[in-house]
Amino acid sequence: MIKYFPAKIEPKWAKKWKDTGLFSPDLDKAKKPFYSLMMFPYPSAEGMHVGNMYAFTGSDVYSRFKRLQGFDVFEPIGLDGFGIHGENYAMKINEHPMEVSKRTEKHFYEQFLMVGNAFDWQRTVDTYKSNYYKWTQWAFLQLYKQGLAYRKKAEVNWCPSCLTVLADEQVISGECERCSSQVGKKELEQWFFKITDYADRLLSNIESLDWSEIVKTAQRNWIGRKDGINIEYELEGLDEKIVCFTTRPDTNFGATFIVIGPEHPLIYKIAQKQYLDAVKKYVSTALAKSDMERIAEGRKKTGVFTGVFAVNRLNGQKLPVWVSDFVLGKVGTGAVVGVPGHDIRDFEFAKEFDLPIVRVVVGKDDDKTPITKAEQVQEEEGLMVNSEFLNGLDIHEATVKIMDYLEEKGWGKRVTSYHLRDWLISRQRYWGPPIPTIYCDKCGIVPVPEEDLPVELPYIKDFKPTGTGVGPLASDSDFVNTTCPKCHGKARRETDVSDNFFDSSLYFFRYLTTDMDDKLFDDTRSKKWLPVDMYIGGAEHSVLHLLYSRFITMAFKDMGFIDFEEPFTKFRAHGLIIKDGAKMSKSKGNVIIPDKYIKDWGADVFRTYLMFMGPFTGGGDFQDDGLNGVYRFLTRIWSLAQNYEEAEATQEEKRILNKTIQKASKDFEKLHYNTVVSGLMELLNFLSRQKTASKETIKSMLIMLSPLAPFITEELWEILERTNIRTNEHWSIHNQPWPQIEEEHLKDEKVTIVIQVDGKLRDNLIIDRELADNQSEIESMAKNSPRVQKCIDSVAIVKVFYVPGKIINFVTDRK
RNA sequence: GCCGGGAUGGUGAAAUGGUAGACACGAUAGGUUUAGGACCUAUUGCUCGAAAGAGUGUGGAGGUUCGAGUCCUCUUCCCGGCACCA
């Protein structure tokens, strides 16, 4: 027997799997299709990170398990190569992104082969190739036709380092998602996708999705639906009205002022002469501040009075109208009604400017006194007071009643507002798909005709962003100058490219039609394979890729291209890998490069170790020591499979094997790969102790191990079965059927009964299974135990609980 | 502040309301081989005890139950999402 030497067997099988197309299902003829997808990676220059590999392995293990269960599994792979990340890197090393991408592509696909994932090598998708981005552009044109892509001048996020605009989702607490620079604001005309049209569907579908809770919650928060009412306030002596959005109209009898944000369009119309200068001054300083600066100033309230009073029509109360920057222009109506007794920010404002405070709710603390301190501000459950016809109602009843009343009077209108904004997809960058539109002086915006796609991204030597608000493509006159498709006059091309996240919001459709040049969707294949059965990826894409993909899928459904609206039936977020208790980062020097580990230990050891660390959805702490244990385990498997004393399976062997199958079946499905490994270890330990094994047991064990360690099991399968690739179409272990559970072997002849006295463990009783139902017999046997007797001889037994085959508990009068 | 997810040995962790710590790592002792990240056996939650054994133990406080890591209430801390969001 040769020693277990991974480097010798792994490359051989990787090549054989690829060359024979073992993992390429027939997309048209497959009988039990199962689309197993993982988030395709961004191909970074350093190559695959251990975090990527952890995710890919976990997804691959699941796919392989499904394949053993008899599914025709489609497990595609590709590269999400377009985007700012790659372009920034190319700039850093002073190379062209087109050159860099060739290198990273090669490296990534080599790594993918090396780790042994069961990819369909015949259907890869790389977003930066024109046979893919043709479809990104096509999708843009479809959205444009539907009015879902539009151009608008707006205040947008601007990253001063990446020199481009960014979508709201790509600004993480004020910082650029890519480079962590402080994001500023710029007024620019840009392309947007109307994702807000889908806000309600995106939100209400969440409930029915079989997705990780963490992602569902993040999406709910991001969409941020709020049900409230827009209340109209007439202004004294003016023919204008101010509309305030509120979710708490129940407290409206407690309103004492109104605050409008500095962005409010009516400011200069309503501000009275003697206050105008102060208002102007305040507004200009406020608008000069970034969001971060506004927040950085803390919660200290500032503001100026406009000189105008609004009227609360509920009680005729006069409400002074103020301007303050704590009211945000883009939230609600940009104006709020101040109820200082029941909103902490309103309270702070009222205190600052000495405005009256009225209590209209009494909460659990039963405090009915006037509200003078911040601790007294009552924002929670309670009963209405000082509110005329609402008095005595709880706040929820009062909310409904006042909304009905305001609507009836015509003073207000129920509205639903969302935190979600439209998706800004223009980027003033080079490394992305050109947005396929043309500007003609006569015809205006003209979409590129579909038959002219793709609009190829030209090679531009100086691809660096300009910072002028115009993309680098503008410098290429051959690209820019074109003719109008409508009037054939002179025209200019759009020079911005689209957001990288747009590429990735449709890649899972393209995997199915890589062999078709003329369409993105094929009805038969869509019906067979979509939506994706299982999607695995990182939770960091919760409100980016995972939200965008849902929106794009809904839009495609509405256009009739597909007949479902949720792209991913099941989604599971994998955990994160940390190293020795800390997050991996280059600066800490604790980044794990899988290549080295795979070279030293083999892909099987590395894969199995990663999956054994803990539950896949939980991530884990990477410790070099752990690899040795897994290496030991595989070595023992290696020698056992080739060097065991063959014998008929014993009863105990059959029982343990069947228990292992049962456990592995359940745990693979739950993504609890760590306990699959431990179950197999227990089986191995048993066989080692027993010193004999049946060939059937060994084979079943190898099949169960094969998703985790595909190479060693394939090699051993070949040795055991002497399969011949030329003559046997089921030569591979990866095509074997999942071992069947034989129920009759799950039960042991002996069972252990735990004996407790007053709930405390006192002894064990090993009995024949047939006796398990005979309670009186068990009882007397249990009482005979000396250790039990010691506990019960001086007390009376009040009650006996017996769970057949498991436990007997004597309850005494000592209790 | 709101919404999610957590907290179990020295470490990674396991436990349909029924023997907490399976399976590993590490450690200790012994054996064996020293050509190999070696292999084999035993021990390993904590406290007391030479041992038998006893007590105790799943962030904390209560509760339900014959029986709680698991269910309920309150609470502390950690991680993630949203946030001057009206």
PDB file of all heavy atoms in Angstrom, chain A residues 226 247 301 345 613 632 685 806 809, chain B residues 12 16 24-25 39 66 84-86:
ATOM      1  N   LYS A 226     -42.734  52.575   6.316  1.00  0.00           N
ATOM      2  CA  LYS A 226     -43.381  53.217   7.464  1.00  0.00           C
ATOM      3  C   LYS A 226     -44.778  53.645   7.038  1.00  0.00           C
ATOM      4  O   LYS A 226     -44.952  54.311   6.023  1.00  0.00           O
ATOM      5  CB  LYS A 226     -42.607  54.458   7.898  1.00  0.00           C
ATOM      6  CG  LYS A 226     -41.405  54.142   8.734  1.00  0.00           C
ATOM      7  CD  LYS A 226     -40.752  55.389   9.264  1.00  0.00           C
ATOM      8  CE  LYS A 226     -40.050  56.154   8.195  1.00  0.00           C
ATOM      9  NZ  LYS A 226     -38.736  55.651   7.834  1.00  0.00           N
ATOM     10  N   THR A 247     -45.864  59.220  11.815  1.00  0.00           N
ATOM     11  CA  THR A 247     -46.416  57.892  12.096  1.00  0.00           C
ATOM     12  C   THR A 247     -47.174  57.915  13.416  1.00  0.00           C
ATOM     13  O   THR A 247     -47.746  56.931  13.825  1.00  0.00           O
ATOM     14  CB  THR A 247     -45.290  56.833  12.217  1.00  0.00           C
ATOM     15  OG1 THR A 247     -44.361  57.281  13.208  1.00  0.00           O
ATOM     16  CG2 THR A 247     -44.573  56.633  10.902  1.00  0.00           C
ATOM     17  N   LYS A 301     -29.528  70.789  19.254  1.00  0.00           N
ATOM     18  CA  LYS A 301     -30.424  71.311  18.212  1.00  0.00           C
ATOM     19  C   LYS A 301     -30.139  72.775  17.910  1.00  0.00           C
ATOM     20  O   LYS A 301     -29.905  73.568  18.809  1.00  0.00           O
ATOM     21  CB  LYS A 301     -31.882  71.150  18.657  1.00  0.00           C
ATOM     22  CG  LYS A 301     -32.295  69.701  18.874  1.00  0.00           C
ATOM     23  CD  LYS A 301     -32.361  68.936  17.560  1.00  0.00           C
ATOM     24  CE  LYS A 301     -32.766  67.492  17.759  1.00  0.00           C
ATOM     25  NZ  LYS A 301     -31.679  66.662  18.333  1.00  0.00           N
ATOM     26  N   ARG A 345     -36.389  64.034  20.164  1.00  0.00           N
ATOM     27  CA  ARG A 345     -35.740  65.091  19.374  1.00  0.00           C
ATOM     28  C   ARG A 345     -36.549  66.378  19.428  1.00  0.00           C
ATOM     29  O   ARG A 345     -36.011  67.482  19.548  1.00  0.00           O
ATOM     30  CB  ARG A 345     -35.563  64.627  17.932  1.00  0.00           C
ATOM     31  CG  ARG A 345     -34.600  63.465  17.819  1.00  0.00           C
ATOM     32  CD  ARG A 345     -34.932  62.624  16.640  1.00  0.00           C
ATOM     33  NE  ARG A 345     -36.341  62.206  16.689  1.00  0.00           N
ATOM     34  CZ  ARG A 345     -36.926  61.512  15.739  1.00  0.00           C
ATOM     35  NH1 ARG A 345     -36.256  61.191  14.663  1.00  0.00           N
ATOM     36  NH2 ARG A 345     -38.186  61.152  15.862  1.00  0.00           N
ATOM     37  N   MET A 613     -14.686  22.740  11.252  1.00  0.00           N
ATOM     38  CA  MET A 613     -14.471  23.768  12.277  1.00  0.00           C
ATOM     39  C   MET A 613     -15.705  24.094  13.106  1.00  0.00           C
ATOM     40  O   MET A 613     -15.602  24.396  14.283  1.00  0.00           O
ATOM     41  CB  MET A 613     -14.015  25.057  11.603  1.00  0.00           C
ATOM     42  CG  MET A 613     -12.543  25.123  11.381  1.00  0.00           C
ATOM     43  SD  MET A 613     -12.006  26.768  10.938  1.00  0.00           S
ATOM     44  CE  MET A 613     -13.113  27.208   9.658  1.00  0.00           C
ATOM     45  N   ARG A 632      -4.923  13.249   9.951  1.00  0.00           N
ATOM     46  CA  ARG A 632      -4.892  11.972  10.655  1.00  0.00           C
ATOM     47  C   ARG A 632      -6.130  11.142  10.293  1.00  0.00           C
ATOM     48  O   ARG A 632      -6.034   9.949  10.009  1.00  0.00           O
ATOM     49  CB  ARG A 632      -4.900  12.282  12.152  1.00  0.00           C
ATOM     50  CG  ARG A 632      -4.095  11.345  13.004  1.00  0.00           C
ATOM     51  CD  ARG A 632      -4.037  11.875  14.424  1.00  0.00           C
ATOM     52  NE  ARG A 632      -2.992  12.869  14.609  1.00  0.00           N
ATOM     53  CZ  ARG A 632      -2.960  13.740  15.626  1.00  0.00           C
ATOM     54  NH1 ARG A 632      -3.935  13.750  16.518  1.00  0.00           N
ATOM     55  NH2 ARG A 632      -1.988  14.590  15.723  1.00  0.00           N
ATOM     56  N   ASN A 685     -13.791   5.124  14.123  1.00  0.00           N
ATOM     57  CA  ASN A 685     -13.275   4.658  15.411  1.00  0.00           C
ATOM     58  C   ASN A 685     -13.834   3.289  15.759  1.00  0.00           C
ATOM     59  O   ASN A 685     -13.130   2.422  16.268  1.00  0.00           O
ATOM     60  CB  ASN A 685     -13.619   5.654  16.518  1.00  0.00           C
ATOM     61  CG  ASN A 685     -12.812   6.936  16.407  1.00  0.00           C
ATOM     62  OD1 ASN A 685     -11.832   6.991  15.666  1.00  0.00           O
ATOM     63  ND2 ASN A 685     -13.243   7.975  17.103  1.00  0.00           N
ATOM     64  N   LYS A 806     -35.573   4.745  27.973  1.00  0.00           N
ATOM     65  CA  LYS A 806     -34.704   5.905  28.137  1.00  0.00           C
ATOM     66  C   LYS A 806     -34.321   6.204  29.578  1.00  0.00           C
ATOM     67  O   LYS A 806     -33.167   6.228  29.934  1.00  0.00           O
ATOM     68  CB  LYS A 806     -35.387   7.146  27.542  1.00  0.00           C
ATOM     69  CG  LYS A 806     -35.177   7.240  26.057  1.00  0.00           C
ATOM     70  CD  LYS A 806     -35.323   8.664  25.598  1.00  0.00           C
ATOM     71  CE  LYS A 806     -34.830   8.808  24.172  1.00  0.00           C
ATOM     72  NZ  LYS A 806     -35.571   9.830  23.445  1.00  0.00           N
ATOM     73  N   ASN A 809     -37.390   7.872  36.606  1.00  0.00           N
ATOM     74  CA  ASN A 809     -37.141   8.874  37.641  1.00  0.00           C
ATOM     75  C   ASN A 809     -38.041   8.600  38.837  1.00  0.00           C
ATOM     76  O   ASN A 809     -39.262   8.575  38.718  1.00  0.00           O
ATOM     77  CB  ASN A 809     -37.412  10.271  37.071  1.00  0.00           C
ATOM     78  CG  ASN A 809     -36.987  11.382  38.019  1.00  0.00           C
ATOM     79  OD1 ASN A 809     -36.325  11.122  39.033  1.00  0.00           O
ATOM     80  ND2 ASN A 809     -37.382  12.607  37.708  1.00  0.00           N
TER      81      ASN A 809
ATOM     82  P     G B  12     -13.022  28.700  21.372  1.00  0.00           P
ATOM     83  OP1   G B  12     -13.313  30.047  20.865  1.00  0.00           O
ATOM     84  OP2   G B  12     -13.781  28.176  22.531  1.00  0.00           O
ATOM     85  O5'   G B  12     -13.164  27.656  20.195  1.00  0.00           O
ATOM     86  C5'   G B  12     -12.578  27.952  18.930  1.00  0.00           C
ATOM     87  C4'   G B  12     -12.893  26.860  17.950  1.00  0.00           C
ATOM     88  O4'   G B  12     -12.255  25.629  18.357  1.00  0.00           O
ATOM     89  C3'   G B  12     -14.360  26.466  17.863  1.00  0.00           C
ATOM     90  O3'   G B  12     -15.114  27.402  17.124  1.00  0.00           O
ATOM     91  C2'   G B  12     -14.241  25.111  17.170  1.00  0.00           C
ATOM     92  O2'   G B  12     -13.927  25.271  15.804  1.00  0.00           O
ATOM     93  C1'   G B  12     -13.032  24.523  17.896  1.00  0.00           C
ATOM     94  N9    G B  12     -13.459  23.728  19.051  1.00  0.00           N
ATOM     95  C8    G B  12     -13.602  24.152  20.348  1.00  0.00           C
ATOM     96  N7    G B  12     -14.033  23.214  21.154  1.00  0.00           N
ATOM     97  C5    G B  12     -14.187  22.100  20.338  1.00  0.00           C
ATOM     98  C6    G B  12     -14.625  20.790  20.648  1.00  0.00           C
ATOM     99  O6    G B  12     -14.974  20.334  21.738  1.00  0.00           O
ATOM    100  N1    G B  12     -14.635  19.971  19.520  1.00  0.00           N
ATOM    101  C2    G B  12     -14.273  20.371  18.253  1.00  0.00           C
ATOM    102  N2    G B  12     -14.352  19.453  17.295  1.00  0.00           N
ATOM    103  N3    G B  12     -13.852  21.595  17.952  1.00  0.00           N
ATOM    104  C4    G B  12     -13.837  22.405  19.032  1.00  0.00           C
ATOM    105  P     U B  16     -30.657  17.583  19.776  1.00  0.00           P
ATOM    106  OP1   U B  16     -30.613  16.470  18.807  1.00  0.00           O
ATOM    107  OP2   U B  16     -30.139  18.874  19.381  1.00  0.00           O
ATOM    108  O5'   U B  16     -32.167  17.787  20.231  1.00  0.00           O
ATOM    109  C5'   U B  16     -33.025  16.671  20.330  1.00  0.00           C
ATOM    110  C4'   U B  16     -34.246  16.901  19.517  1.00  0.00           C
ATOM    111  O4'   U B  16     -34.627  15.662  18.881  1.00  0.00           O
ATOM    112  C3'   U B  16     -35.465  17.286  20.363  1.00  0.00           C
ATOM    113  O3'   U B  16     -35.517  18.693  20.560  1.00  0.00           O
ATOM    114  C2'   U B  16     -36.610  16.758  19.514  1.00  0.00           C
ATOM    115  O2'   U B  16     -36.844  17.569  18.392  1.00  0.00           O
ATOM    116  C1'   U B  16     -36.004  15.437  19.034  1.00  0.00           C
ATOM    117  N1    U B  16     -36.196  14.343  20.011  1.00  0.00           N
ATOM    118  C2    U B  16     -37.463  13.807  20.187  1.00  0.00           C
ATOM    119  O2    U B  16     -38.429  14.202  19.575  1.00  0.00           O
ATOM    120  N3    U B  16     -37.539  12.816  21.129  1.00  0.00           N
ATOM    121  C4    U B  16     -36.533  12.301  21.896  1.00  0.00           C
ATOM    122  O4    U B  16     -36.769  11.400  22.694  1.00  0.00           O
ATOM    123  C5    U B  16     -35.252  12.885  21.646  1.00  0.00           C
ATOM    124  C6    U B  16     -35.135  13.859  20.751  1.00  0.00           C
ATOM    125  P     A B  24     -12.486  11.412  17.347  1.00  0.00           P
ATOM    126  OP1   A B  24     -12.027  10.286  16.535  1.00  0.00           O
ATOM    127  OP2   A B  24     -12.214  11.433  18.803  1.00  0.00           O
ATOM    128  O5'   A B  24     -11.970  12.746  16.695  1.00  0.00           O
ATOM    129  C5'   A B  24     -10.872  13.425  17.272  1.00  0.00           C
ATOM    130  C4'   A B  24     -10.805  14.800  16.655  1.00  0.00           C
ATOM    131  O4'   A B  24     -11.986  15.556  17.040  1.00  0.00           O
ATOM    132  C3'   A B  24      -9.642  15.619  17.157  1.00  0.00           C
ATOM    133  O3'   A B  24      -8.484  15.312  16.401  1.00  0.00           O
ATOM    134  C2'   A B  24     -10.145  17.032  16.952  1.00  0.00           C
ATOM    135  O2'   A B  24     -10.092  17.405  15.598  1.00  0.00           O
ATOM    136  C1'   A B  24     -11.602  16.876  17.382  1.00  0.00           C
ATOM    137  N9    A B  24     -11.786  17.042  18.822  1.00  0.00           N
ATOM    138  C8    A B  24     -12.108  16.091  19.754  1.00  0.00           C
ATOM    139  N7    A B  24     -12.199  16.553  20.989  1.00  0.00           N
ATOM    140  C5    A B  24     -11.914  17.902  20.848  1.00  0.00           C
ATOM    141  C6    A B  24     -11.850  18.959  21.780  1.00  0.00           C
ATOM    142  N6    A B  24     -12.077  18.807  23.077  1.00  0.00           N
ATOM    143  N1    A B  24     -11.532  20.179  21.315  1.00  0.00           N
ATOM    144  C2    A B  24     -11.305  20.337  19.998  1.00  0.00           C
ATOM    145  N3    A B  24     -11.337  19.425  19.031  1.00  0.00           N
ATOM    146  C4    A B  24     -11.658  18.213  19.525  1.00  0.00           C
ATOM    147  P     C B  25      -7.113  15.109  17.199  1.00  0.00           P
ATOM    148  OP1   C B  25      -6.144  14.621  16.212  1.00  0.00           O
ATOM    149  OP2   C B  25      -7.337  14.362  18.458  1.00  0.00           O
ATOM    150  O5'   C B  25      -6.760  16.613  17.577  1.00  0.00           O
ATOM    151  C5'   C B  25      -6.596  17.571  16.539  1.00  0.00           C
ATOM    152  C4'   C B  25      -6.494  18.957  17.124  1.00  0.00           C
ATOM    153  O4'   C B  25      -7.718  19.296  17.818  1.00  0.00           O
ATOM    154  C3'   C B  25      -5.434  19.128  18.208  1.00  0.00           C
ATOM    155  O3'   C B  25      -4.136  19.236  17.661  1.00  0.00           O
ATOM    156  C2'   C B  25      -5.909  20.416  18.861  1.00  0.00           C
ATOM    157  O2'   C B  25      -5.627  21.532  18.058  1.00  0.00           O
ATOM    158  C1'   C B  25      -7.423  20.180  18.885  1.00  0.00           C
ATOM    159  N1    C B  25      -7.857  19.587  20.166  1.00  0.00           N
ATOM    160  C2    C B  25      -7.907  20.421  21.296  1.00  0.00           C
ATOM    161  O2    C B  25      -7.579  21.607  21.186  1.00  0.00           O
ATOM    162  N3    C B  25      -8.291  19.910  22.488  1.00  0.00           N
ATOM    163  C4    C B  25      -8.627  18.613  22.579  1.00  0.00           C
ATOM    164  N4    C B  25      -9.003  18.157  23.767  1.00  0.00           N
ATOM    165  C5    C B  25      -8.586  17.744  21.442  1.00  0.00           C
ATOM    166  C6    C B  25      -8.197  18.272  20.266  1.00  0.00           C
ATOM    167  P     C B  39      -0.366  10.272  14.031  1.00  0.00           P
ATOM    168  OP1   C B  39      -1.603  10.458  13.250  1.00  0.00           O
ATOM    169  OP2   C B  39      -0.105  11.102  15.218  1.00  0.00           O
ATOM    170  O5'   C B  39      -0.264   8.739  14.478  1.00  0.00           O
ATOM    171  C5'   C B  39      -0.339   7.717  13.502  1.00  0.00           C
ATOM    172  C4'   C B  39       0.098   6.426  14.117  1.00  0.00           C
ATOM    173  O4'   C B  39       1.485   6.526  14.546  1.00  0.00           O
ATOM    174  C3'   C B  39      -0.628   6.037  15.397  1.00  0.00           C
ATOM    175  O3'   C B  39      -1.889   5.450  15.110  1.00  0.00           O
ATOM    176  C2'   C B  39       0.356   5.057  16.014  1.00  0.00           C
ATOM    177  O2'   C B  39       0.313   3.793  15.390  1.00  0.00           O
ATOM    178  C1'   C B  39       1.691   5.730  15.697  1.00  0.00           C
ATOM    179  N1    C B  39       2.175   6.588  16.798  1.00  0.00           N
ATOM    180  C2    C B  39       2.787   5.989  17.925  1.00  0.00           C
ATOM    181  O2    C B  39       2.869   4.748  17.952  1.00  0.00           O
ATOM    182  N3    C B  39       3.233   6.763  18.936  1.00  0.00           N
ATOM    183  C4    C B  39       3.112   8.084  18.867  1.00  0.00           C
ATOM    184  N4    C B  39       3.583   8.802  19.896  1.00  0.00           N
ATOM    185  C5    C B  39       2.487   8.727  17.746  1.00  0.00           C
ATOM    186  C6    C B  39       2.044   7.950  16.746  1.00  0.00           C
ATOM    187  P     C B  66     -44.559  18.139  37.739  1.00  0.00           P
ATOM    188  OP1   C B  66     -45.605  17.114  37.650  1.00  0.00           O
ATOM    189  OP2   C B  66     -44.668  19.303  38.670  1.00  0.00           O
ATOM    190  O5'   C B  66     -43.172  17.416  38.052  1.00  0.00           O
ATOM    191  C5'   C B  66     -42.881  16.961  39.369  1.00  0.00           C
ATOM    192  C4'   C B  66     -41.643  16.099  39.336  1.00  0.00           C
ATOM    193  O4'   C B  66     -41.927  14.880  38.611  1.00  0.00           O
ATOM    194  C3'   C B  66     -40.482  16.707  38.572  1.00  0.00           C
ATOM    195  O3'   C B  66     -39.749  17.588  39.395  1.00  0.00           O
ATOM    196  C2'   C B  66     -39.671  15.469  38.190  1.00  0.00           C
ATOM    197  O2'   C B  66     -38.921  14.976  39.276  1.00  0.00           O
ATOM    198  C1'   C B  66     -40.789  14.478  37.869  1.00  0.00           C
ATOM    199  N1    C B  66     -41.132  14.455  36.423  1.00  0.00           N
ATOM    200  C2    C B  66     -40.237  13.843  35.518  1.00  0.00           C
ATOM    201  O2    C B  66     -39.173  13.381  35.943  1.00  0.00           O
ATOM    202  N3    C B  66     -40.552  13.803  34.219  1.00  0.00           N
ATOM    203  C4    C B  66     -41.712  14.333  33.797  1.00  0.00           C
ATOM    204  N4    C B  66     -41.973  14.264  32.489  1.00  0.00           N
ATOM    205  C5    C B  66     -42.629  14.952  34.695  1.00  0.00           C
ATOM    206  C6    C B  66     -42.302  14.979  35.989  1.00  0.00           C
ATOM    207  P     C B  84     -29.562  59.197  10.650  1.00  0.00           P
ATOM    208  OP1   C B  84     -29.462  60.213   9.594  1.00  0.00           O
ATOM    209  OP2   C B  84     -28.340  58.588  11.196  1.00  0.00           O
ATOM    210  O5'   C B  84     -30.461  59.802  11.805  1.00  0.00           O
ATOM    211  C5'   C B  84     -29.885  60.646  12.834  1.00  0.00           C
ATOM    212  C4'   C B  84     -31.019  60.924  13.811  1.00  0.00           C
ATOM    213  O4'   C B  84     -30.628  62.003  14.645  1.00  0.00           O
ATOM    214  C3'   C B  84     -32.327  61.340  13.121  1.00  0.00           C
ATOM    215  O3'   C B  84     -33.455  61.062  13.944  1.00  0.00           O
ATOM    216  C2'   C B  84     -32.156  62.828  13.047  1.00  0.00           C
ATOM    217  O2'   C B  84     -33.385  63.543  13.013  1.00  0.00           O
ATOM    218  C1'   C B  84     -31.497  63.117  14.417  1.00  0.00           C
ATOM    219  N1    C B  84     -30.666  64.315  14.461  1.00  0.00           N
ATOM    220  C2    C B  84     -30.674  65.030  15.650  1.00  0.00           C
ATOM    221  O2    C B  84     -31.351  64.630  16.609  1.00  0.00           O
ATOM    222  N3    C B  84     -29.942  66.158  15.739  1.00  0.00           N
ATOM    223  C4    C B  84     -29.222  66.552  14.693  1.00  0.00           C
ATOM    224  N4    C B  84     -28.502  67.656  14.817  1.00  0.00           N
ATOM    225  C5    C B  84     -29.195  65.823  13.476  1.00  0.00           C
ATOM    226  C6    C B  84     -29.935  64.720  13.395  1.00  0.00           C
ATOM    227  P     C B  85     -34.121  59.543  13.989  1.00  0.00           P
ATOM    228  OP1   C B  85     -35.137  59.562  15.037  1.00  0.00           O
ATOM    229  OP2   C B  85     -33.061  58.515  13.959  1.00  0.00           O
ATOM    230  O5'   C B  85     -34.862  59.488  12.578  1.00  0.00           O
ATOM    231  C5'   C B  85     -36.132  60.087  12.402  1.00  0.00           C
ATOM    232  C4'   C B  85     -36.994  59.179  11.529  1.00  0.00           C
ATOM    233  O4'   C B  85     -36.596  59.360  10.164  1.00  0.00           O
ATOM    234  C3'   C B  85     -36.802  57.690  11.872  1.00  0.00           C
ATOM    235  O3'   C B  85     -37.936  56.986  12.358  1.00  0.00           O
ATOM    236  C2'   C B  85     -36.035  57.081  10.670  1.00  0.00           C
ATOM    237  O2'   C B  85     -36.467  55.839  10.275  1.00  0.00           O
ATOM    238  C1'   C B  85     -36.219  58.132   9.573  1.00  0.00           C
ATOM    239  N1    C B  85     -34.937  58.304   8.870  1.00  0.00           N
ATOM    240  C2    C B  85     -34.795  57.863   7.553  1.00  0.00           C
ATOM    241  O2    C B  85     -35.773  57.357   6.980  1.00  0.00           O
ATOM    242  N3    C B  85     -33.606  58.003   6.934  1.00  0.00           N
ATOM    243  C4    C B  85     -32.579  58.549   7.572  1.00  0.00           C
ATOM    244  N4    C B  85     -31.424  58.656   6.928  1.00  0.00           N
ATOM    245  C5    C B  85     -32.701  58.994   8.903  1.00  0.00           C
ATOM    246  C6    C B  85     -33.881  58.858   9.512  1.00  0.00           C
ATOM    247  P     A B  86     -39.320  56.821  12.014  1.00  0.00           P
ATOM    248  OP1   A B  86     -39.880  55.729  12.773  1.00  0.00           O
ATOM    249  OP2   A B  86     -39.394  56.880  10.557  1.00  0.00           O
ATOM    250  O5'   A B  86     -39.995  58.117  12.644  1.00  0.00           O
ATOM    251  C5'   A B  86     -41.205  58.588  12.097  1.00  0.00           C
ATOM    252  C4'   A B  86     -41.419  59.996  12.584  1.00  0.00           C
ATOM    253  O4'   A B  86     -40.202  60.739  12.443  1.00  0.00           O
ATOM    254  C3'   A B  86     -42.438  60.814  11.793  1.00  0.00           C
ATOM    255  O3'   A B  86     -43.764  60.519  12.175  1.00  0.00           O
ATOM    256  C2'   A B  86     -42.030  62.231  12.129  1.00  0.00           C
ATOM    257  O2'   A B  86     -42.518  62.606  13.393  1.00  0.00           O
ATOM    258  C1'   A B  86     -40.509  62.097  12.167  1.00  0.00           C
ATOM    259  N9    A B  86     -39.883  62.506  10.908  1.00  0.00           N
ATOM    260  C8    A B  86     -40.330  62.313   9.634  1.00  0.00           C
ATOM    261  N7    A B  86     -39.547  62.812   8.719  1.00  0.00           N
ATOM    262  C5    A B  86     -38.513  63.368   9.427  1.00  0.00           C
ATOM    263  C6    A B  86     -37.357  64.051   9.039  1.00  0.00           C
ATOM    264  N6    A B  86     -37.043  64.299   7.771  1.00  0.00           N
ATOM    265  N1    A B  86     -36.512  64.488   9.998  1.00  0.00           N
ATOM    266  C2    A B  86     -36.832  64.243  11.271  1.00  0.00           C
ATOM    267  N3    A B  86     -37.891  63.607  11.774  1.00  0.00           N
ATOM    268  C4    A B  86     -38.704  63.189  10.789  1.00  0.00           C
TER     269        A B  86
END
